[in-house]
């Protein structure tokens, strides 16, 4: 009888131990799961907060950009809507000094490298002064400059050239004055004269410029 009671107690203790182990394992699993879930939720909440913060910054920047756009549009309309352009010409005319201010600005500093167009402009400026063109020389660097057609921070690029003309001394001086007053910037570096006042040869080394287009480097940002 005593042996039966002892076996029964052992069985009950063994069952109780198993229940305790099972309960402890379940409790540990629940605690670990809760910790992992909490960490995941906190991480997700932090990510969402960063996303919201990034969106708020983007909205604020967009509002500032829209305001700047409206201001720029107003300034542009005022700039091109003047009754007389910045060099005293008629905005609606077709003469050398005519055209609206936007056209004059673009003509002053072209956005593309174009040596043939420059040579043609030089020819027109020279012949208008009654001078004979002996030579127009320069480097046609269009292939190398083709990769420099736009930039997020553009800067003027020099285009050196040399012209040799013949005519009167006064005509040569008039040509230099035309270079000086031209809406396109010309920087004269050297001038060599030979001959007399009535029959003179002048060799002018100078450079003008073009400025690549400005591109808007719009990009996306990944929130991590």
């Amino acid at each position: 009888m005593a042996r039966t009671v002892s076996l029964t107690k052992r069985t009950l203790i063994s069952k109780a131990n198993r229940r305790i182990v099972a309960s402890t394992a379940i409790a540990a699993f629940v605690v670990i799961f809760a910790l992992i879930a909490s960490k995941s939720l906190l991480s997700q909440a932090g990510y969402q907060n960063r996303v919201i913060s990034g969106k708020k910054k983007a909205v604020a920047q967009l509002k500032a950009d829209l305001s700047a756009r409206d201001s720029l549009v107003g300034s542009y309309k005022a700039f091109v809507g003047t009754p007389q352009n910045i060099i005293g010409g008629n905005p609606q005319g077709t003469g050398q000094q005519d055209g609206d201010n936007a056209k004059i600005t673009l003509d002053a500093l072209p956005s593309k490298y174009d040596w043939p167009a420059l040579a043609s402009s030089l020819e027109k400026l020279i012949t208008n002064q009654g001078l004979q063109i002996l030579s127009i020389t320069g480097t046609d660097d269009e292939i190398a400059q083709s990769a420099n057609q736009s930039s997020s921070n553009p800067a003027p690029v020099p285009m050196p050239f040399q012209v040799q003309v013949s005519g009167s001394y006064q005509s040569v001086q008039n040509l230099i004055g035309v270079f000086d007053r031209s809406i396109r910037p010309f920087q004269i570096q050297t001038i060599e004269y030979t001959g007399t006042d009535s029959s003179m040869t002048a060799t002018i080394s100078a450079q003008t410029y073009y400025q690549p287009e400005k591109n808007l480097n719009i990009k996306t940002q990944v929130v991590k």
Side-chain angles (χ1 to χ4, degrees), residues 23-212:
S23 298
T24 302
I26 292 172
F29 172 79
V30 170
V31 170
I32 293 172
F33 177 79
L35 290 173
I36 294 174
S38 298
K39 181 179 179 181
S40 177
L41 289 173
L42 288 173
S43 177
Q44 186 68 20
Y47 170 75
Q48 293 296 336
N49 286 334
R50 291 192 295 274
V51 171
I52 292 171
S53 177
K55 287 183 176 180
K56 287 182 178 178
K57 288 181 180 179
V59 170
Q61 183 63 53
L62 179 60
K63 289 181 179 178
D65 291 344
L66 290 174
S67 177
R69 179 207 61 183
D70 295 338
S71 177
L72 180 62
V73 169
S75 298
Y76 177 81
K77 289 180 178 179
F79 182 61
V80 299
T82 57
Q84 188 179 65
N85 63 32
I86 54 179
I87 57 175
N90 180 4
Q92 308 301 324
T94 57
Q96 287 187 346
Q97 290 188 303
D98 294 338
D100 61 44
N101 289 330
K103 178 182 181 299
I104 291 172
T105 302
L106 292 175
D107 289 344
L109 205 59
S111 61
K112 303 293 184 183
Y113 182 93
D114 192 342
W115 167 253
L118 173 60
S120 177
S121 296
L122 291 172
E123 181 179 354
K124 183 177 180 181
L125 290 175
I126 294 169
T127 55
N128 283 345
Q129 306 311 312
L131 291 164
Q132 179 184 356
I133 300 173
L134 301 180
S135 66
I136 298 176
T137 57
T139 302
D140 190 351
D141 199 27
E142 188 167 358
I143 295 176
Q145 294 294 334
S146 61
N148 193 28
Q149 297 301 308
S150 65
S151 170
S152 58
N153 188 26
V157 179
M159 298 178 65
F161 64 89
Q162 186 179 79
V163 296
Q164 189 174 55
V165 298
S166 66
S168 68
Y169 174 78
Q170 187 58 53
S171 296
V172 174
Q173 291 302 306
N174 290 342
L175 176 62
I176 294 172
V178 167
F179 282 148
D180 185 51
R181 295 188 303 271
S182 173
I183 59 174
R184 182 166 186 172
F186 286 97
Q187 184 181 47
I188 296 177
Q189 297 167 321
T190 62
I191 304 176
E192 296 180 6
Y193 298 99
T194 58
T196 64
D197 285 352
S198 60
S199 179
M200 177 171 288
T201 297
T203 302
I204 303 173
S205 296
Q207 64 182 11
T208 185
Y209 300 86
Y210 87 98
Q211 181 167 302

